[in-house]
Structures are given as C-alpha cells and as structure tokens.
Amino acid sequence: MDPIFIFEQLLNGVGYGLMLFLLAAGLTLVFGIMDTMNLAHGSLYMAGAYIAARVHEAGGSFVGAVLVAVAATVLVAFLLELLIVRKLYARDHLAQVIATFGVILIADDAVKAVWGPSPLMATTPAALAGPVQLLPELPYPAYRLVLLAVGLLVAVGLYVLVNHTRVGMLVRAGASNRPMAEFMGVRVGRVFSFVFALGAALAALAGALMGPISAVQIGMGEAILIPALVVIVIGGIGSVRGAFVAALLVGLVDTAGRAFLPPLLRSVLPPALAADLGPAFAGIAMYVLMAAVLILKPAGLFPARA
Amino acid sequence: MSDGVMSRTLPASAAARWLPWALLGLLALLPVVGAEMGLDYYVGFVRRMLIVMIAATGLNFILGYGGMAALGHAGFIGVGAYTVVALVDAGASSAWAAWGAAVLVSGAFAALIGAVTLRTRGVYFLMITLAFAQMLYYLAVSLSAYGGDDGYGLYSPLELGFGRTTGDAAVFFWVVLALAALVFAFASRAAVSRFGHALMGIRDNETRMEAMGYPVYRLKLVAFTGAGALAGLAGALLASHNNFVSPATMHWTESATLLVMVVLGGLGRRWGAVLGVAVWLALSEVLKLYTEYWHWPLGLMLIAVVFVAPRGLAGLFERRKA
Amino acid sequence: MTLFVAQDLVKRFGGLLATDHVSLAVEHGEVHALIGPNGAGKSTLVNLISGLLPADGGRIVLDGIDLTAMSAHERVRHGLSRCFQITSVFRGDSVLDNLLLAVQAHAGSSFRCFGRRSGEAALGERALELAHKVGLEGMLDREAGTLPHGVQRKLDVALALAARPKLLLLDEPMAGMGPEDSQQMVELIARLRSDAAILLIEHDMDAVFQLADRISVLDYGKVLASGDTTYIREHPEVQAVYLGTEEAR
C-alpha cells in the first residue's frame, strides 16, 4: 500500500472520529451527569441531517442551513427533555432504554411523514465541492477538510467550556458527584437542561455536517448510535476527554479496518476467503477494540468517577 | 431495578393460573378451524408468535429474574438459525437433529460469551453483549457459503418423523405449540425452584448472595447459557418457519425489540414475556394493515408503559400486596 | 490450635496503603474486637478477610484450611461468614424468604431448577430455627424493607448465621442504633458466642468492652496494639491515637 493512500485513509478516520465525538460528547455528558441512557440521541442527529439538507436544498446557504438545523433540533430536544426525558432521570436504565426506544420509533415515523421514505441526497456546498491539493500526489476533498477543522474547533471549544468556565465547573461537579453538587447548591435541574440542549446541538451539528458525505435516511440515527455508544463506553462514561480519545480511536480503527484489512487479507489468504473475511473483520474491529478495553479497564479508559 | 418494579406480589388466583394454559390448549384447535375458515395466514402468524415467545421467555429469565440486561439476544437466535442452515447445507434432513444441534451450539456460544461478559455489570454488560452479537452478525455476513448478506433459502422442509415434515403447516404448528408449552412450563417451574430463588436473590443483592455462599458467577452463567440455548431453539424453529435465514435476524434492533417486548409484558412476571410478544406482534400486524406509519403508535405505547405501567402489562393483572 | 489466622494482609488503592501488613488471630470461642478511628481501614480489612476484595498480599487460614486463594462464596462454605455495616437484606422479600434464601445456600445445590422450593420442609425448619435464634419468629411474614432498623440488623446477622460459621465477622452491628437496640444486639452477640468465634468490628466502646475477650486496634491500616481489654484500655499509644483523636477526625 502506498503511503499517500494510508495518509488519506487516516485523515478520513480522524474526520469520522471527530464527528463521532460530536455525538458522543452529548451522550456521555447526559449519561455521566444524569445517569440517563438516551437512545433517542441518534434521532437528534437524524433531525439535524434532514433539516440541514432540506434548508440547503431550498436555496439557503450551507452555513445558514447548518445553523437552522442546530437551532431547530435544540428546540425539539428542549421539548423532548421537558416532556419525557426529565421524567426518566430518576428511573432505572432499562426504563430509559425502553422509553427512548419508543421515541426513536416515533421520530422515524415523523421523519417519514414529513420528508418521505426515500433517502435525501444532501449536496456538498458548491464552494467546497472540489479537491484541495494537500500534497503533490494527494488531492483531498475540501469539504472533508472543513469537517476536520470544525470538529477540532468544537472539541477545543468544548474543552474550554468544560474546563475553564463556570458552567463547565458545574457540569463537571454534577458528573463526578451529583449529591455533593446538589448539596453545594448547584441547581442540578438547570444544568441538566443545559447539558441536554448542548448535546442535542452537537448531535445536530454532526448530522448536518455528515449529511453530504453519508446517506440522509431514516434509520441513520440508529446506525450511528451504536458506534457512539461504543465510544462512550471505551472512553469511560461521563468523561468528555475519554470520549474524545475513544472517538478518534474508533474512527481510526473503523476506517483503517475497512481500508486496510481487505487488501492485507488478500495478500495472505486465498482470494475467496479474503473476500469473505475482509468486510467481517472490518465490521468487527470496533467491537473487538471495545471488548479488549473493557477486559483491561472495566470502567473505560478515563473513568469519570473515581 | 427499583424495589417498586420488582416487589413480590401475591400468588395469582386459581383462574389466573389456569387461564394461560387453557388459552394454549385452545390454540391447538387453530389449524383445524383455520383450515375450515381459510385463516391459513393466521396459523402461520401465531406460529411465528409462539417461536418468538420461546426466545423471549429465556430473555425474561435472565433479565427479569436474574437482572442481566443483555442486548445481544438476537445473536443467539441467529446462531440457532445458522446451525440449521449449516446442517441442511451438509445434507441433514431430520428436524429434531437440526433443532437439537441448534440448541447445543447456541448454548455453547452463550456459555463462551457469558463467561467473558458476565464479569461486567449494568450498562457495560449491555454494551459488551451487544458487541458480541454484532460480531456474530458480521460473521454471518461473511459466510458467503450460506449466502452472506443475502441470506440462505431452505428449499426442502425438514422431517419430523412419522412421514410428516415442517412443510405440513398444521403439524409444524402443533410441534411448535408443544415445544412452546414445554418451555413455558419449564420456565414457570424454574422460577419457583431453588435456582429461580437464587437468581432473584442475585438480581436484588449480588454482594449479599456472594457473602451468603452462593457461587454467583456460575449461577448467572448457567442462566445465561440456558437463555442462549432457548434463543437458539427459537432461531432454529424460525429458520424452518421462514424457510429462510439471513443476517438481518441478528441485527441489534432485533435484540432491542426482544428486550422491549419482555419489558412491555412485565419483567420477571411468569407470563410477562409471552404477553409482551403477543401484544407487540399482534399490534404491529394490525397496524401494518391500516397504515404505513405503524411504528409511532408502538413507540407511544412504550412510553406509556414506562410511565403508567412500570411493572408491565402482566403487572396490571396482579393484585397489589397490601 | 488457633481457629483463625490472618497473616501480613496487604491492600493498596493506587498509592494508598489501606491495609499495611495486618496480622490477626482469633481463638476458638473467642470474641475478638477490632477497633480503630474512621478511615483506619477496618471495612477494607473485613472485605479482604471475607474475600469480597482481592488482597495484594498475605494469607488467611481458618481451622487449618488455607482460604487465601478462595473466592468469597467458597470461604463462606468453609465457615467464614459475615454481616454488613450497611444493612444488606433482601428488602422486597419477607423475613421468611430472606431466611430461606440464606438457608438454601447451605443445604444442597442451588442449581436445581425443577422442584418447587416451597416443597422442601427441611429448609423451612432451619429458617424457623434461625428466626428463633435472633428473635424474629414473630415477624416472618413482614417485608424486610419495612422493618425498623434494629430488626433489619438482626435479620442481617441471621443471614450470616445460616452458614453455621466457625468464624462470624460482624461489621459494626450496632451502627446507627439507639441504646435499646444496641443492648439487644449485645445480648444477641453474647448468645452467639457459643456457636461461633466472632470478629467484631465496632465503634461502640461500651459494647466492645462488654463483649470482647481480646481487642486489636487498627490505625492507618496497621495493627497498633492487640491484647486483652485491660491491656488495650491502658495502652498509652492507643489512648493517644485512638481515644484522643476520635473527635478530631
């Protein structure tokens, strides 16, 4: 394999990892602080993707479409938290799984009713449609570069927010020791609502940005939910830093698995067998990573609670 | 689980105890009546329901009685189904041999996977069981000899003995009904056995159970293996029922739906899993007739159950303890 | 022969040495009290001895049998049973069901999954015997979680007794009790010493000096002193470190 190809795939992996991070950050905070498993997080991602695609298509600017998608999704999330999720904080995980699975079913039908059953073709903004010559022999899609930049920016922003602001301090206090935070007078209810909305905004942003390079379709939320859950489990539930590291790991392992494993297998195995095993190994890579991490560190890489 | 959901209830009245059995007995007439009235489709539908109930009963045993929230049960259904495929592909024709092998193979897979996953708890257990089920899913996708992604068609029915085959709709229905009744009887007896009591103790207070001298890990592993074997049986029957097997059987949403049906019916309730499957599948079937938007009423029902009937539908029929 | 020996037990949590080469011995028929200020490592030690925490070093021998490599439930089968500082009963079950569950663990296999347990008369008899022993025979049908704290603690002790232990570990049995309940518990423990040797972890000094034959004092994960009640009462270091600093901590 030539180094250019490897480099290109690694870049793709980092880009996918950053998008996973946007999803996982909200998921891990909601889980860490409110001890709530929200399967409908993927539905917010889907909402972001659909809204951005339609607004962009309707003639809006891409940036405008992304902003509208984020704002609208946050509004939906606000209602979701108020009507359902808030009542689940005190319940066990299973009740949360069941109720938010119910939300997924409703969300998928709602999207089908509004935008129809067939996938949307989200277009790349015209200005970013072409490639950029990264290296003499490596043209790289400009849009994917923007994705990388936005992902990194948000990660840095989130780091500053969580570690260097008052809101972040409250969030961290809630994540590491909720009874103590309540005792110290933190209005946990408000922190919850804020975190939920923040998570929704990040999920919608990820959905809106991923739209042009993936399929905007019903069920996309469920498909991305599993890798996002894998990320927060590897990273340690409740840890944003853990989610970041794990998201990059999963992004790289998943992309590398798909790009490098099939050719590697072809070079050592009979072609028919390699053709069978390649996709299987690539699909499994992420889960093997999680199983290995959990066997060595049962609470993930960066356990939020000591 | 919280105390409220799991609190013990009074034994059911005599009528409530016999009613489910009486209903199962009545179901035996369905193929006869169905043939008369041209309800063949419904005979098949109820047969599928009974098969799913077998898998759900096993899941209810580990989740409801044992407190093990596994999100990978469809993986074992798939192992059972693919065992049948492998045997048929190799030329086997006896249903009992194929189904028996499916039970053994899926039980073995469950024992291996349980041995690794049962070291973890709570959400980590949920996620790692999911991970193993996903691995099985991709394994099935890679089996190009058995159709890979496209699945595998079972073109000739399996022999049930006495010259009957699974192609005989009524006979196959009775066989499934008898197997399901056996599984339900065994599960309800196991629930009040020493093993069942030990399992509930582990669900409620694992540390104390260990400190009272129970081999907690081994007890959980045995329950997990048994539930996996039952899922394998269901998978094998499902393969014969559909005459087709594909990796889609093992997709994680199938595991989630199975979990949802058990909770809907009533966790750790004797007839909870059976009731949950019946309501969920019947509703899906009916809704599909009337609208293409048949998911959202089910979603609404789940949310309603969580908030209004946290003990599940079976819980609604129970008398509350004073 | 000495009934129970713990030798050089070590437990580290990260950099913290929670149990620092602790050695203890309990004789047949003895009540051995383990005292020490909060954070001295008493609970860690109980968890190491009962096997709920893996030790980083040391050895545990009961009645000539080395338990060190055994898991918690195997240790119970060899006669080492314990209670919990935070009452640990099956709150949703009746007192009788609690006792039956404890009894079942020591009378035949719990892997039997076909016979009804309710059909086993021997289990019921043994459960009643236990209820009688701790004075719970009047409330067998009560849901454990609804019982007063003192009664729940008695049930906790009864669950540990079901194993017919040679050595009973009582982890602060009087914790959170009023004087009346405490006195009842003292009387109960005094009755139990004919059945098993007892390692008693307790804060209540009156109870300790009433019950104990010997006392070991734990501080910063180390045994500071070990001896009979008079020896401990007059031990200068114990007075300084334990009695003197009790309030300060």
Side-chain angles (χ1 to χ4, degrees):
Chain A
M1 270 175 281
D2 74 301
I4 295 284
F5 174 68
I6 293 177
F7 183 69
E8 186 185 356
Q9 291 303 322
L10 290 182
L11 266 186
N12 285 348
V14 171
Y16 176 51
L18 286 170
M19 291 301 112
L20 273 181
F21 170 68
L22 294 189
L23 265 171
L27 209 53
T28 205
L29 280 174
V30 169
F31 210 138
I33 298 176
M34 308 168 203
D35 199 23
T36 297
M37 185 143 184
N38 173 27
L39 295 188
H41 201 68
S43 300
L44 299 170
Y45 169 83
M46 173 175 70
Y50 265 93
I51 297 170
R54 291 317 291 252
V55 172
H56 185 217
E57 189 187 74
S61 76
F62 185 70
V63 175
V66 171
L67 290 179
V68 170
V70 169
T73 306
V74 166
L75 198 67
V76 171
F78 175 77
L79 288 175
L80 182 65
E81 204 255 354
L82 192 72
L83 294 176
I84 294 172
V85 178
R86 187 173 290 182
K87 299 191 177 74
L88 291 171
Y89 293 149
R91 301 288 297 274
D92 57 73
H93 288 145
L94 210 51
Q96 295 159 356
V97 165
I98 301 301
T100 53
F101 190 76
V103 173
I104 291 182
L105 294 178
I106 297 174
D108 281 353
D109 263 5
V111 167
K112 191 156 117 187
V114 177
W115 290 297
S118 38
L120 293 189
M121 296 307 292
T123 46
T124 315
L128 299 171
V132 169
Q133 209 64 32
L134 271 190
L135 296 171
E137 283 166 74
L138 174 62
Y140 197 72
Y143 184 75
R144 281 182 180 267
L145 280 181
V146 171
L147 223 67
L148 279 171
V150 174
L152 279 174
L153 254 164
V154 172
V156 170
L158 205 58
Y159 174 81
V160 173
L161 178 79
V162 171
N163 290 298
H164 296 285
T165 65
R166 192 177 145 67
V167 177
M169 192 197 73
L170 297 180
V171 169
R172 270 180 299 141
S176 59
N177 193 338
R178 191 174 139 201
M180 182 58 96
E182 278 175 26
F183 181 70
M184 305 284 282
V186 176
R187 273 192 272 182
V188 178
R190 282 205 190 169
V191 176
F192 284 7
S193 303
F194 168 76
V195 167
F196 196 82
L198 179 69
L202 294 176
L205 179 64
L209 293 177
M210 284 296 274
I213 56 168
S214 66
V216 178
Q217 60 188 350
I218 291 159
M220 66 187 290
E222 290 91 284
I224 196 92
L225 178 71
I226 297 299
L229 282 171
V230 168
V231 163
I232 73 170
V233 165
I234 291 178
I237 290 172
S239 164
V240 177
R241 186 167 57 130
F244 183 74
V245 174
L248 289 183
L249 263 177
V250 169
L252 283 170
V253 164
D254 195 63
T255 310
R258 283 171 213 288
F260 305 146
L261 269 178
L264 269 180
L265 286 174
R266 271 198 296 279
S267 63
V268 290
L269 292 174
L273 191 59
D276 281 1
L277 291 180
F281 282 3
I284 288 171
M286 161 174 86
Y287 300 105
V288 172
L289 176 69
M290 177 169 87
V293 167
L294 284 189
I295 287 163
L296 296 174
K297 303 201 71 170
L301 293 175
F302 300 92
R305 285 170 230 262
Chain B
M1 293 301 297
S2 63
D3 281 344
V5 176
M6 283 304 177
S7 66
R8 303 295 187 274
T9 42
L10 290 170
S13 66
R17 228 173 317 159
W18 290 109
L19 186 65
W21 295 112
L23 285 176
L24 281 178
L26 273 180
L27 271 186
L29 300 176
L30 185 62
V32 183
V33 180
E36 293 286 318
M37 300 171 63
L39 296 174
D40 292 334
Y41 175 80
Y42 290 97
V43 176
F45 174 66
V46 173
R47 193 168 71 192
R48 181 163 70 92
M49 220 179 219
L50 287 166
I51 294 171
V52 179
M53 283 171 182
I54 292 175
T57 298
L59 184 60
N60 186 35
F61 206 72
I62 56 168
L63 176 62
Y65 294 98
M68 291 167 255
L71 185 53
H73 222 56
F76 301 125
I77 294 181
V79 171
Y82 273 94
T83 306
V84 170
V85 164
L87 288 175
V88 168
D89 197 66
S93 60
S94 159
W96 302 107
W99 298 343
V103 169
L104 291 179
V105 173
S106 53
F109 267 86
L112 284 175
I113 291 175
V116 179
T117 57
L118 286 169
R119 306 271 178 204
T120 60
R121 308 263 172 283
V123 175
Y124 292 98
F125 178 71
L126 194 98
M127 287 303 296
I128 200 163
T129 47
L130 169 76
F132 277 101
Q134 291 290 89
M135 293 183 202
L136 292 174
Y137 171 82
Y138 284 107
L139 182 70
V141 169
S142 77
L143 292 172
S144 65
Y146 304 138
D149 234 348
D150 302 327
Y152 186 94
L154 298 154
Y155 296 110
S156 48
L158 295 173
E159 287 157 19
L160 289 166
F162 305 104
R164 303 290 187 168
T165 70
T166 54
D168 184 330
V171 172
F172 187 27
F173 180 92
W174 285 318
V175 167
V176 168
L177 182 65
L179 285 173
L182 263 177
V183 168
F184 302 157
F186 178 71
S188 56
R189 192 42 102 71
V192 293
S193 71
R194 282 170 162 250
F195 187 66
H197 281 286
L199 215 53
M200 287 186 273
I202 291 170
R203 173 192 74 198
D204 293 340
N205 194 338
E206 192 168 327
T207 310
R208 181 77 219 205
M209 289 296 281
E210 181 80 28
M212 291 198 315
Y214 281 96
V216 167
Y217 174 73
R218 262 190 295 147
L219 285 163
K220 284 165 78 170
L221 186 56
V222 167
F224 191 80
T225 304
L230 278 186
L233 174 63
L237 295 175
L238 215 50
S240 296
H241 171 86
N242 292 328
N243 293 317
F244 177 73
V245 173
S246 89
T249 328
M250 318 167 85
H251 195 262
W252 79 269
T253 47
E254 296 296 317
S255 295
T257 309
L258 206 58
L259 200 116
V260 159
M261 290 191 282
V262 171
V263 177
L264 171 71
L267 269 183
R269 299 277 172 316
R270 182 167 299 185
W271 294 100
V274 170
L275 190 61
V277 172
V279 169
W280 182 268
L281 291 184
L283 262 182
S284 316
E285 202 66 17
V286 170
L287 288 170
K288 269 184 224 174
L289 286 179
Y290 292 102
T291 168
E292 63 174 305
Y293 302 105
W294 55 276
H295 286 106
W296 73 265
L298 294 172
L300 212 57
M301 177 177 68
L302 289 184
I303 295 170
V305 163
V306 166
F307 290 123
V308 183
R311 294 182 304 147
L313 296 175
L316 297 175
F317 295 101
E318 282 165 358
R319 291 173 290 172
R320 259 319 261 183
K321 209 163 15 176
Chain C
M1 192 183 99
T2 303
L3 173 68
F4 171 81
V5 179
Q7 210 173 46
D8 276 331
L9 287 181
V10 176
K11 181 70 191 175
R12 288 187 192 82
F13 292 114
L16 178 76
L17 201 53
T19 306
D20 187 358
H21 299 87
V22 167
S23 296
L24 271 181
V26 182
E27 304 295 332
H28 285 278
E30 184 185 38
V31 174
H32 189 131
L34 184 68
I35 63 173
N38 281 329
K42 301 189 295 289
S43 288
T44 305
L45 186 58
V46 176
N47 285 334
L48 292 182
I49 294 176
S50 60
L52 290 180
L53 265 181
D56 295 324
R59 232 161 64 93
I60 288 170
V61 178
L62 180 71
D63 214 9
I65 299 171
D66 192 323
L67 305 184
T68 315
M70 292 185 191
S71 59
H73 66 87
E74 289 170 316
R75 293 182 193 196
V76 182
R77 292 186 179 269
H78 284 89
L80 184 76
S81 192
R82 69 167 290 178
C83 292
F84 286 81
Q85 185 181 343
I86 296 166
T87 312
S88 182
V89 298
F90 299 87
R91 300 177 54 84
D93 289 349
S94 69
V95 168
L96 181 61
D97 283 340
N98 267 271
L99 294 171
L100 283 171
L101 196 56
V103 168
Q104 180 195 321
H106 305 285
S109 166
S110 284
F111 288 93
R112 275 188 240 153
C113 56
F114 211 69
R116 287 174 197 276
R117 189 183 70 176
S118 54
E120 296 187 57
L123 293 183
E125 280 165 31
R126 172 79 178 124
L128 287 180
E129 202 180 296
L130 281 172
H132 188 70
K133 182 147 245 156
V134 298
L136 286 174
E137 59 272 55
M139 35 192 91
L140 291 173
D141 292 332
R142 296 279 299 277
E143 193 178 318
T146 64
L147 295 170
H149 178 67
V151 184
Q152 288 194 32
R153 306 246 18 143
K154 285 183 189 166
L155 179 57
D156 200 318
V157 173
L159 295 184
L161 282 178
R164 300 183 201 272
K166 296 172 188 161
L167 176 68
L168 184 59
L169 301 177
L170 298 176
D171 192 358
E172 303 204 16
M174 276 74 138
M177 278 189 181
E180 205 174 307
D181 282 342
S182 289
Q183 195 47 45
Q184 280 194 24
M185 185 57 81
V186 168
E187 285 161 20
L188 173 59
I189 295 171
R191 284 203 304 276
L192 294 181
R193 59 186 303 163
S194 59
D195 297 321
I198 292 171
L199 183 61
L200 171 70
I201 291 85
E202 188 46 65
H203 261 302
D204 182 336
M205 286 303 128
D206 290 341
V208 167
F209 284 108
Q210 269 183 66
L211 288 165
D213 300 305
R214 280 196 303 156
I215 300 175
S216 292
V217 184
L218 206 62
D219 194 32
Y220 292 112
K222 272 189 186 167
V223 177
L224 192 67
S226 191
D228 62 25
T229 48
T230 346
Y231 172 77
I232 293 298
R233 216 190 286 270
E234 286 162 10
H235 197 288
E237 252 184 291
V238 173
Q239 287 182 347
V241 170
Y242 179 67
L243 303 169
T245 53
E246 172 81 313
E247 287 82 22
R249 291 174 199 247

